[in-house]
Amino acid sequence: MDLNADVGQSFGSWTAGGDPAMFQLATSANVACGLHAGDPITMLDSCRAAYDLDVTVGAHLGYRDLAGYGRRSLDMSFDELFGDVLYQLGALDGVAHAVGASVDYVKPHGALYEALIHDAEQASAVVAAVNAYDPGLPFLGFSGSELLKQAKEAGHPVFTEAFADRAYLGDGSLVPLSEENAVLHDVDAVVERAVRLATQGDVVAVDGTVVSIRPDSLRLQGGSPAAVEMAARIRAGLEAAGVGLESFA
């Protein structure tokens, strides 16, 4: 099982904490590419850390929205999103290459991630840009999403992720963050869910439905001491259950 985490989200004098610990826990690092978060120095530090610790680097693609941390929806044209994806890929790939690393997959962030679950037009722009840059680059995303559907049709390897600390609906979608109990805070329950996802490939939804997911990767939340502690417990729980940990890419 792969463990992916969002890293490289500091910008200028503002620091997003947790990266040193997350690089020790994750097997894949979603590195911000400078549009929703991150800057050249942060990308450089992230790629160096990933290379030193043998963590796979992925391009964490977001909307051009530093002020909103990439969490605000943007109505972008095909060409605008196509160009922004190419910009982010080129930036991170150049930095990674300079330190001996490489960009080995892509994963969307925030509002773009949510849009690409259902928005066929935006998904087509992202897939076209990634395909133009590297036709063999893998995608990591949400199971059943429009993004993964189109990426697979274009010939890209596709991989799915699951969230051990998020509540699921019976149709396999996530409970919206705007709703109560969308996020699980009981560490023991989250660890138990992570082990079940890794060993059985399913999760119990809020209505009691057992939803089959069979993820290739589990998302580790970071950025705060409590989140890092939970991530550490998840990794320890998986290892105790005999789950081998390695990057999907």
Side-chain angles (χ1 to χ4, degrees):
M1 177 60 64
D2 174 68
L3 298 176
N4 78 86
D6 299 347
V7 297
Q9 300 180 108
S10 299
F11 182 80
S13 60
W14 182 78
T15 301
D19 280 9
M22 295 310 295
F23 274 112
Q24 298 285 341
L25 298 170
T27 52
S28 296
N30 314 314
V31 181
C33 304
L35 290 192
H36 77 271
D39 57 32
I41 295 298
T42 303
M43 287 191 284
L44 188 61
D45 290 343
S46 298
C47 289
R48 281 175 174 153
Y51 180 77
D52 290 342
L53 295 170
D54 197 26
V55 175
T56 301
V57 173
H60 206 197
L61 308 172
Y63 285 131
R64 186 183 292 271
D65 180 31
L66 279 174
Y69 202 46
R71 291 176 176 167
R72 300 181 294 189
S73 297
L74 296 182
D75 184 16
M76 302 183 72
S77 70
F78 182 98
D79 285 346
E80 287 174 325
L81 189 52
F82 182 94
D84 276 4
V85 169
L86 283 178
Y87 180 91
Q88 292 175 84
L89 279 172
L92 185 63
D93 194 39
V95 170
H97 178 77
V99 300
S102 59
V103 173
D104 292 328
Y105 68 95
V106 298
K107 177 190 168 180
H109 162 82
L112 181 60
Y113 186 101
E114 295 179 4
L116 297 179
I117 293 176
H118 302 295
D119 192 320
E121 182 177 358
Q122 291 209 356
S124 68
V126 172
V127 171
V130 175
N131 191 64
Y133 191 85
D134 182 347
L137 201 58
F139 282 74
L140 176 63
F142 198 74
S143 178
S145 66
E146 187 68 31
L147 175 70
L148 294 192
K149 173 188 173 184
Q150 293 195 27
K152 185 175 182 179
E153 290 173 350
H156 291 265
V158 298
F159 299 89
T160 62
E161 67 173 346
F163 301 76
D165 63 345
R166 289 289 303 275
Y168 279 78
L169 296 173
D171 64 357
S173 62
L174 296 172
V175 173
L177 288 172
S178 59
E179 296 187 13
E180 189 177 359
N181 299 323
V183 179
L184 284 65
H185 299 287
D186 184 300
V187 177
D188 290 337
V190 172
V191 172
E192 181 180 352
R193 175 170 286 199
V195 172
R196 177 168 179 157
L197 281 163
T199 58
Q200 297 181 210
D202 60 33
V203 64
V204 179
V206 292
D207 64 357
T209 303
V210 176
V211 180
S212 178
I213 298 179
R214 303 199 176 282
D216 301 295
S217 181
L218 296 179
R219 161 79 185 282
L220 297 179
Q221 298 283 356
S224 71
V228 170
E229 174 60 24
M230 182 176 285
R233 287 282 304 278
I234 289 173
R235 176 159 183 146
L238 292 170
E239 291 175 334
V243 177
L245 300 177
E246 62 179 4
S247 173
F248 66 88

